[in-house]
Amino acid sequence: MGAGEYWNPKTETLGRDDLAALQLAKLRRLTEWAAARSPFYQRSFKEAGFAPEQLKTLDDLRRLPLLTREQWMAPQAEQPPFGLLPVAGREAAIRWHTTSGTTGREPIRVLDTAKDWAWQAEMWCYGLWGFGVRPEDTAYVAFGYGSFIGFWGLHYGLEKLGALNVPGGAQPTEGRVRQIVDFGATVVASTPTYALRLAQEAERLGVDLAASPVERLILSGEPAGSIPQTKALIERLWGAKAGDTAGMTEIGTIMIFECRHQPGGTHIIEDHYIEEVVDPGSGEPVGYGEAGERVVTSFGRGIIPLLRYRTADLVAKVPASRCACGRGFDLYEGGILGRVDDMKLVRGTNVYPRAVEGIVREFPAVEEFQLLLTREGHFDRIALRVEPAPETTDAEWGDMAARLAKALAEAHEGLRFEVERAGAGELPRFELKARRTVDRRDTPIGG
């Protein structure tokens, strides 16, 4: 291991036994803290018959009850605006953030102290340094910052690491493309969808991004960052390496990251989180390589202790040995595979949006797409609406539509997808989290 190879080699290269011992010590301290100060956990622990002194090994973690989003939200409504989870009120905090609200539901509200915020910046440093970002880089964050926590954490992580940080701000995509070139950015951070949008706009402007100084793209906010076809397309258009990251407002920004070795998955920051993978139905743990729901315990945010939070993310954990980087942290193969509740049942066939995107991204002429589910009588209809590149001829479109329909049917047990051409600019564009699946089967007539 060369000098400067890791951001935190003392813990990132720990063996599994030493890592487990560290996690257990932190878990005991966290449960004691929660039991002493959080009204929510005082009630939750009492109902579950749990006490911190019962933690003898990491297996005892399962004595703690699972925490769902609904259980978080109920006390938030009971005692607004922050609920019963925090151990202190707004007087102790320096920041107030909310979840992105892309599901249309009431957002979760979170607080952070100065110490919490410094920790969140450090978590981003794990991922940034791991993917090869260094103090000499110029990093462009292609996002207009709001109450959503993600890119704020990235911003302060870049500052902590020492890179020259350029916030993209609230401006048109054309302006961001020109700034990326004008500032000589070597690193660009965005969602995977917006990285593709920036590339499309650059082509329209006659800007050759592949010839620009950009060497790395930090992707976050969508599972698409680990879809091989999407990542390959982004890397081809930018002439740069793309690395996936993922985090959650509830847990405290980034938790997993892809290192510069690009092992086909994301490392878990296991000295600051315990990540379980459980069967979504039973809540029982599943083994290496088996898909299940992520359940996260976070050690860093002191004002809001978080124990065994059900994320609804679908993942499959594999051993650290899958990557040659030398870290002792396990990985999620393929990053976030999707959401447990994202799967759609169409005429008896399971349809996963991630799998559909993997197929669509094999067709470079697709500029944007949307999966539309409707019901006619008792018959489910699934359509892939595609916005092709403007120069696509009718003959080229016919050939592409036929090949898309065939590939989708082969991947979905013969299920027939109707492939429809959308007009230029007709489909929505996304800066943050793309919502390309529209299910109107339960929408009332006229709704």
Side-chain angles (χ1 to χ4, degrees):
M1 287 177 275
E5 179 72 11
Y6 303 105
W7 178 255
N8 192 354
K10 288 184 179 178
T11 52
E12 288 195 81
T13 58
L14 281 176
R16 299 305 299 180
D17 289 345
D18 289 335
L19 188 56
L22 176 63
Q23 289 177 327
L24 181 59
K26 288 188 173 186
L27 181 62
R28 286 171 175 158
R29 186 170 61 185
L30 178 62
T31 54
E32 289 168 357
W33 174 261
R37 293 172 173 83
S38 169
F40 177 89
Y41 282 111
Q42 287 169 352
R43 184 168 69 186
S44 174
F45 288 176
K46 183 178 180 180
E47 290 173 353
F50 171 79
E53 55 267 22
Q54 293 174 341
L55 292 171
K56 307 298 183 184
T57 71
L58 277 184
D59 287 339
D60 293 326
L61 175 64
R62 293 199 290 276
R63 291 176 177 265
L64 278 77
L66 294 165
L67 172 64
T68 66
R69 187 186 196 280
E70 290 69 30
Q71 288 169 322
W72 182 320
M73 291 296 297
Q76 184 175 291
E78 175 185 337
Q79 188 172 306
F82 303 109
L84 302 176
L85 271 167
V87 302
R90 66 179 73 207
E91 69 282 354
I94 61 164
R95 285 187 173 269
W96 171 347
H97 285 279
T98 69
T99 48
S100 58
T102 51
T103 61
R105 296 184 292 179
E106 177 78 15
I108 283 178
R109 306 180 191 101
V110 297
L111 292 170
D112 285 302
T113 66
K115 184 177 180 181
D116 296 340
W117 197 249
W119 167 77
Q120 294 189 40
E122 184 178 349
M123 294 304 95
W124 266 106
C125 287
Y126 273 74
L128 293 167
W129 189 273
F131 196 59
V133 180
R134 295 294 182 266
E136 55 268 26
D137 278 305
T138 297
Y140 189 90
V141 183
F143 181 72
Y145 303 13
S147 60
F148 172 59
I149 200 170
F151 288 95
W152 283 107
L154 169 62
H155 176 108
Y156 284 94
L158 287 165
E159 284 190 359
K160 183 165 186 163
L161 189 144
L164 179 59
N165 194 359
V166 184
Q171 61 177 311
T173 300
E174 176 180 345
R176 289 177 176 155
V177 170
R178 296 194 186 282
Q179 282 193 335
I180 287 168
V181 175
D182 291 346
F183 281 99
T186 56
V187 175
V188 172
S190 74
T191 64
T193 291
Y194 199 59
L196 292 171
R197 176 76 186 93
L198 287 164
Q200 291 170 358
E201 184 66 13
E203 184 177 8
R204 187 186 71 80
L205 296 170
V207 174
D208 185 0
L209 288 179
S212 76
V214 177
E215 297 177 344
R216 293 175 179 83
L217 290 113
I218 305 297
L219 306 177
S220 193
E222 298 170 343
S226 280
I227 297 176
Q229 297 90 338
T230 302
K231 180 182 289 187
L233 177 59
I234 292 171
E235 291 189 336
R236 180 178 65 79
L237 293 173
W238 284 81
K241 290 294 184 182
D244 192 21
T245 64
M248 292 184 79
T249 302
E250 300 96 303
I251 294 163
T253 195
I254 185 176
M255 299 154 295
I256 59 176
F257 67 91
E258 185 174 13
C259 75
R260 64 181 181 83
H261 289 256
Q262 294 184 294
T266 49
H267 289 280
I268 304 164
I269 306 178
E270 291 192 278
D271 54 338
H272 288 270
Y273 303 96
I274 296 176
E275 298 244 359
E276 305 168 73
V277 184
V278 305
D279 180 277
S282 68
E284 291 300 309
V286 302
Y288 276 141
E290 295 183 57
E293 181 181 1
R294 288 177 68 217
V295 173
V296 183
T297 295
S298 172
F299 296 132
R301 179 183 271 146
I303 196 169
I304 302 180
L306 204 65
L307 293 154
R308 304 200 76 202
Y309 183 65
R310 298 189 69 156
T311 67
D313 288 334
L314 192 65
V315 294
K317 189 186 289 188
V318 293
S321 57
R322 283 286 188 93
C323 185
C325 72
R327 289 177 175 83
F329 295 167
D330 282 346
L331 301 96
Y332 285 136
E333 188 173 31
I336 305 296
L337 302 176
R339 301 280 293 172
V340 171
D341 53 2
D342 267 356
M343 188 272 290
K344 301 293 183 181
L345 186 65
V346 183
R347 302 200 294 276
T349 300
N350 294 339
V351 177
Y352 289 93
R354 176 186 166 113
V356 171
E357 178 164 351
I359 292 168
V360 172
R361 294 305 184 195
E362 295 278 8
F363 295 78
V366 174
E367 289 218 337
E368 193 50 84
F369 70 97
Q370 182 184 74
L371 200 60
L372 178 62
L373 289 84
T374 55
R375 180 167 290 151
E376 298 177 2
H378 298 289
F379 183 78
D380 283 347
R381 175 176 176 266
I382 183 165
L384 180 73
R385 305 186 68 219
V386 174
E387 193 177 313
E391 65 274 11
T392 305
T393 66
D394 288 344
E396 290 169 337
W397 163 251
D399 176 66
M400 182 169 67
R403 289 188 292 123
L404 262 170
K406 183 174 184 292
L408 289 165
E410 289 176 348
H412 293 87
E413 302 175 7
L415 179 67
R416 180 173 174 265
F417 286 70
E418 299 177 28
V419 180
E420 303 173 349
R421 183 171 188 167
E426 181 180 344
L427 299 181
R429 266 51 174 182
F430 304 91
E431 182 181 282
L432 185 52
K433 298 181 181 180
R435 307 292 296 182
R436 293 193 176 92
T437 302
V438 179
D439 192 345
R440 293 180 178 161
R441 290 178 293 180
D442 296 323
T443 303
I445 295 174

